[in-house]
Amino acid sequence: MDKVKDISHSENLIFGKRTELYFAILCGVFLSLGFFIEKGLDLPRWIAILSYGMAYFFGGYFISIEAYKKITKGGFDIDFLMIAAAIGAAYIDSWAEGALLLFLFSLGHALEHYAMNKAQKSIEALSDLSPKVALVKKNGQIIETPIEDLKVGDTIVIKPNSKIAADGVIIMGNSSIDQAPITGESMPVDKTAITSIDNLPEFKHIDKTHVVFTGTINGDSNLEVRVLKLSQDSTVARLIKMVSEVETQKSPTQRLTKKFEKWYVPIVLIVVTLLCFAYVVVDETFKESLYRAITVLVAASPCALAISTPSAVLSGIARAAQKGVLIKGGKALEDLGTISTIAFDKTGTLTEGKPKLTNVIALNNFEEQELLQIVLEVESLSNHPLAKAIAKDIEALHNIQFKDLAREIEGIQGKGITAKYKDSKVFIGNLKLMYDEGITVDTIVKSKMEGLLRDGHTMMLVAFKNELIGLIGVMDVPRKTAANTLKKLKSIGIKRMIMLTGDHQNVGDAIAKQIGLTEVKGNLLPEDKVAEIKKLLARDGKIAMIGDGVNDAPAMALSTVSIAMGAAGSDVALETADVALMSDKIENLPFVIGLSRASKRIIKENIFISLGVVVVLVPVTILGLTNIGLAVLFHEGSTVVVVLNALRLLAYKK
């Protein structure tokens, strides 16, 4: 994170945050201009040298700053060696070669640094979950209060369809709460007021049907909530803390050449210094020894080595972008190809993320069309998300039109709804509602209902004129492409695929059975997902986590590579993720893993090529068997080969 801060200060010079990138581009512009003047125009050479000098300034500015900082801490790195090589090239009048070295190296530097503020963005996005103010009830009055000023024991009022401002327990009112931002549950959860607030147990031990979390969304009813956690201790605050902690554990993308800096740079500097005094033991002049030393310095400058990784990374990222996949940096691109274990969130990742009408079963010889008409009329009057989904699907899938035949709808908290249809009572809800209304449910119907519940469906009974007339079921259904995607992942070597979900275990098991997933962990809160990821990391070493919700952010940030579903994903998941499937197509996952493996292979090839040239060229120049022109030719030739090899990734199709 310190490096990010340093960069942000240095970038705010002329062009704002992109100053370093623009400086690298200007270096290339002046390099091209100088070369054109020197080779194509009949002008004094000092004009070309002036242009090369400008290229030196723009290309070397940020590299010099970083080299200076490293030197003041007692170390030398490739930044220093590149500056030394460029100065040496200028000293022996090889200005173009020096400027080219600086251009290629500074461009790679700038692009690497550009996306290093991901951690800060993810934390800011998490902070937006929590409302800024709460409505506190004091002495019968409602006072708007900043959430930082809330105290444990305060009573806050939650208006319909608004965000909940604190973790607490409901003391008045009943409502349906959308907990997806925190738990990832696909269905809103019915919440009721606790019967007594005397001698409350710890927050984590209170029945979940009575507690609410910061950042979740209230339904259609007013609530009064007793605050049990301060804002800094809320569930959202914990998410922010988790993301902050695990983000700081991740280093920014490192070029593979960094591994060589500790020994490579000092050795080159020592050899070059000794060669300056070769005339003492070799029959040559000081000028000849100096020329040989500078030739070695140019030959040994790791330009091809430095560009080998960034060129492949940029090509890989560009190819991924063409397929609607955003990859945030080289580390994610390289790491993804080493993954053999993937953890999936369920809702919005393996499933559509919204309830669908899955079952309509007419009972007791009742006409299915009439059953659907009754359900449509009643559910159309309700604002409950499930009711809206049922009404929408009845109209879309069964071609039945709303006729406004129902009246006097009433919600029965925790049980269902009732209304009048053609002056007769309709009840839609659970078994408890039917029992309370004296409606008979035989064992065959109960058995059928329990079987569907085990398969992950949310089931409702429908009664009309005091008689059971049907069963309806809804479910967050699997994505159409999920099963085939899992097969492809298995075929390319992904050994373990685990579903981590905040939904009930039986819901997760049912989805997994449909798409061919064998391992499911259900009923997980965000911290539980983090614990599961830690276990998988300890066992498998590396793991990818793919999700779409805020509740996935801490687990995603802890994983080796985090992948966000794009269009359906939350801002937090996208900011936290290393990879985002922007088109929201999970079927792109096998492609991007294959691309990652190809990128890693090309990076290895590039390093082999660049090191191979250095290994051959340095001894040849030390022995004086070549001149500066030939050294530069081989040196820059290896750079061209490395770049062309990397560009092959742009044509990747598998």
Side-chain angles (χ1 to χ4, degrees):
M1 295 296 288
D2 292 336
K3 194 170 184 181
V4 176
K5 291 176 183 176
D6 289 342
I7 291 164
S8 64
H9 287 306
S10 62
E11 284 175 342
N12 293 322
L13 291 172
I14 301 173
F15 303 114
K17 294 181 178 180
R18 299 186 180 183
T19 299
E20 188 177 12
L21 179 60
Y22 289 150
F23 269 36
I25 294 171
L26 284 171
C27 173
V29 170
F30 282 107
L31 165 63
S32 302
L33 181 61
F35 189 79
F36 177 71
I37 291 170
E38 184 177 17
K39 303 296 183 183
L41 298 177
D42 187 18
L43 294 174
R45 191 162 186 271
W46 67 265
I47 299 177
I49 292 175
L50 180 62
S51 185
Y52 290 140
M54 294 298 294
Y56 265 59
F57 171 78
F58 287 113
Y61 184 85
F62 285 100
I63 300 172
S64 299
I65 290 173
E66 293 202 17
Y68 173 75
K69 288 178 181 178
K70 195 67 176 284
I71 290 170
T72 57
K73 294 178 182 178
F76 296 93
D77 62 3
I78 289 178
D79 294 322
F80 175 80
L81 198 58
M82 292 296 293
I83 292 295
I87 292 172
Y91 183 80
I92 60 174
D93 205 28
S94 297
W95 287 90
E97 289 82 355
L100 183 59
L101 293 177
L102 290 176
F103 167 63
L104 292 172
F105 192 73
S106 63
L107 183 62
H109 240 229
L111 292 172
E112 180 190 8
H113 290 164
Y114 183 62
M116 279 187 178
N117 60 352
K118 181 183 66 171
Q120 292 172 329
K121 285 185 178 179
S122 65
I123 294 169
E124 289 168 5
L126 275 170
S127 301
D128 291 340
L129 271 180
S130 179
K132 305 304 178 189
V133 296
L135 300 176
V136 179
K137 188 175 183 180
K138 286 185 179 179
N139 301 321
Q141 292 185 322
I142 306 297
I143 303 169
E144 195 172 89
T145 305
I147 60 166
E148 308 87 58
D149 297 339
L150 289 178
K151 299 179 179 63
V152 173
D154 281 350
T155 297
I156 60 174
V157 176
I158 313 297
K159 297 289 186 182
N161 304 308
S162 63
K163 286 184 179 180
I164 292 170
D167 285 12
V169 60
I170 300 172
I171 59 174
M172 185 176 294
N174 305 309
S175 190
S176 180
I177 306 295
D178 179 2
Q179 295 193 147
I182 299 299
T183 67
E185 291 169 282
S186 55
M187 304 290 183
V189 179
D190 289 329
K191 300 280 186 174
T192 60
I194 197 166
T195 53
S196 173
I197 58 173
D198 297 326
N199 301 316
L200 280 174
E202 287 184 44
F203 182 80
K204 63 182 179 181
H205 296 309
I206 300 175
D207 191 312
K208 290 182 181 179
T209 60
H210 306 310
V211 300
V212 292
F213 302 106
T214 306
T216 55
I217 302 167
N218 186 22
D220 293 334
S221 303
N222 274 300
L223 295 176
E224 290 188 12
V225 172
R226 176 66 55 87
V227 176
L228 296 183
K229 288 187 178 183
L230 299 175
S231 62
Q232 62 265 31
D233 300 322
S234 69
T235 304
V236 168
R238 292 205 318 275
L239 295 185
I240 295 172
K241 184 172 183 291
M242 279 188 252
V243 172
S244 301
E245 288 175 350
V246 296
E247 284 285 7
T248 54
Q249 295 168 13
K250 287 187 175 182
S251 61
T253 303
Q254 296 292 323
R255 297 186 183 91
L256 294 180
T257 52
K258 292 291 183 183
K259 297 177 182 179
F260 300 99
E261 288 181 19
K262 290 183 180 179
W263 58 268
Y264 183 75
V265 174
I267 288 175
V268 170
L269 292 174
I270 291 169
V271 169
V272 169
T273 303
L274 291 174
L275 286 172
C276 288
F277 299 97
Y279 70 94
V280 176
V281 293
V282 178
D283 185 17
E284 64 183 15
T285 64
F286 170 71
K287 187 175 181 180
E288 290 171 332
S289 292
L290 183 60
Y291 183 88
R292 186 209 307 264
I294 293 173
T295 303
V296 171
L297 184 60
V298 172
S301 62
C303 186
L305 188 61
I307 204 69
S308 60
T309 303
S311 60
V313 166
L314 290 172
S315 297
I317 290 173
R319 179 66 185 113
Q322 292 172 354
K323 289 280 287 185
V325 181
L326 173 64
I327 301 177
K328 299 181 181 178
K331 186 175 186 299
L333 181 68
E334 294 170 37
D335 282 347
L336 192 56
T338 66
I339 296 296
S340 61
T341 301
I342 300 178
F344 294 86
D345 174 47
K346 178 186 75 70
T347 306
T349 301
L350 293 172
T351 66
E352 296 288 349
K354 47 194 174 185
K356 294 280 188 182
L357 181 65
T358 53
N359 298 91
V360 178
I361 304 171
L363 302 172
N364 298 324
N365 298 317
F366 202 82
E367 288 289 332
E368 184 179 294
Q369 290 294 102
E370 181 67 10
L371 168 64
L372 287 167
Q373 189 72 55
I374 291 172
V375 173
L376 173 61
E377 299 297 331
V378 174
E379 298 286 26
S380 294
L381 300 182
S382 173
N383 286 322
H384 194 285
L386 277 183
K388 290 179 179 178
I390 291 168
K392 180 182 177 182
D393 283 354
I394 288 176
E395 288 183 315
L397 301 177
H398 297 275
N399 197 29
I400 294 177
Q401 302 299 314
F402 175 67
K403 298 178 181 178
D404 195 19
L405 299 175
R407 297 285 184 275
E408 300 176 20
I409 188 168
E410 181 184 345
I412 306 171
Q413 192 66 34
K415 299 177 186 176
I417 57 174
T418 181
K420 279 190 176 180
Y421 175 80
K422 295 181 179 179
D423 296 325
S424 296
K425 277 275 190 178
V426 176
F427 294 95
I428 303 176
N430 57 22
L431 278 169
K432 193 172 189 313
L433 175 62
M434 300 300 142
Y435 291 153
D436 290 350
E437 298 300 329
I439 296 166
T440 302
V441 182
D442 61 39
T443 54
I444 296 174
V445 172
K446 281 194 283 187
S447 176
K448 186 176 291 187
M449 187 175 180
E450 287 168 2
L452 289 167
L453 285 170
R454 282 195 299 272
D455 288 340
H457 298 267
T458 298
M459 299 304 301
M460 285 159 278
L461 295 156
V462 183
F464 181 52
K465 295 181 179 179
N466 292 320
E467 182 183 0
L468 196 64
I469 62 170
L471 268 174
I472 56 174
V474 295
M475 187 179 185
D476 182 16
V477 297
R479 288 175 179 265
K480 294 177 181 177
T481 56
N484 191 45
T485 298
L486 295 181
K487 286 180 183 177
K488 286 184 178 178
L489 289 172
K490 189 174 181 181
S491 70
I492 65 172
I494 302 300
K495 297 177 182 177
R496 302 198 65 202
M497 291 176 279
I498 305 102
M499 181 195 293
L500 305 178
T501 179
D503 260 341
H504 296 296
Q505 184 70 39
N506 66 322
V507 175
D509 288 338
I511 296 293
K513 184 179 179 182
Q514 293 179 57
I515 62 177
L517 202 61
T518 56
E519 196 168 345
V520 180
K521 304 285 185 180
N523 301 304
L524 300 179
L525 287 170
E527 52 263 44
D528 300 324
K529 290 188 179 184
V530 169
E532 291 296 330
I533 292 294
K534 286 180 178 178
K535 290 178 187 175
L536 293 169
L537 283 170
R539 188 191 63 197
D540 298 339
K542 291 184 178 182
I543 179 172
M545 168 74 187
I546 177 167
D548 79 312
V550 173
N551 59 297
D552 303 318
M556 288 169 68
L558 181 62
S559 61
T560 312
V561 181
S562 52
I563 306 167
M565 297 297 293
S570 71
D571 290 339
V572 180
L574 285 173
E575 293 292 353
T576 305
D578 301 304
V579 179
L581 305 181
M582 301 305 292
S583 58
D584 201 28
K585 292 182 178 179
I586 196 173
E587 58 266 33
N588 280 339
L589 193 54
F591 167 84
V592 76
I593 290 175
L595 177 64
S596 170
R597 291 174 179 174
S599 301
K600 194 169 183 64
R601 184 174 63 252
I602 283 178
I603 287 170
K604 289 180 179 178
E605 292 170 358
N606 282 354
I607 290 174
F608 178 80
I609 292 167
S610 55
L611 283 179
V613 170
V614 170
V615 167
V616 172
L617 198 56
V618 170
V620 169
T621 53
I622 289 174
L623 296 172
L625 300 177
T626 186
N627 57 30
I628 184 73
L630 197 58
V632 169
L633 180 64
F634 274 95
H635 182 271
E636 301 309 330
S638 66
T639 301
V640 171
V641 170
V642 161
V643 171
L644 290 176
N645 191 41
L647 291 177
R648 291 193 298 128
L649 287 170
L650 294 174
Y652 181 83
K653 292 182 179 179
K654 292 181 181 179

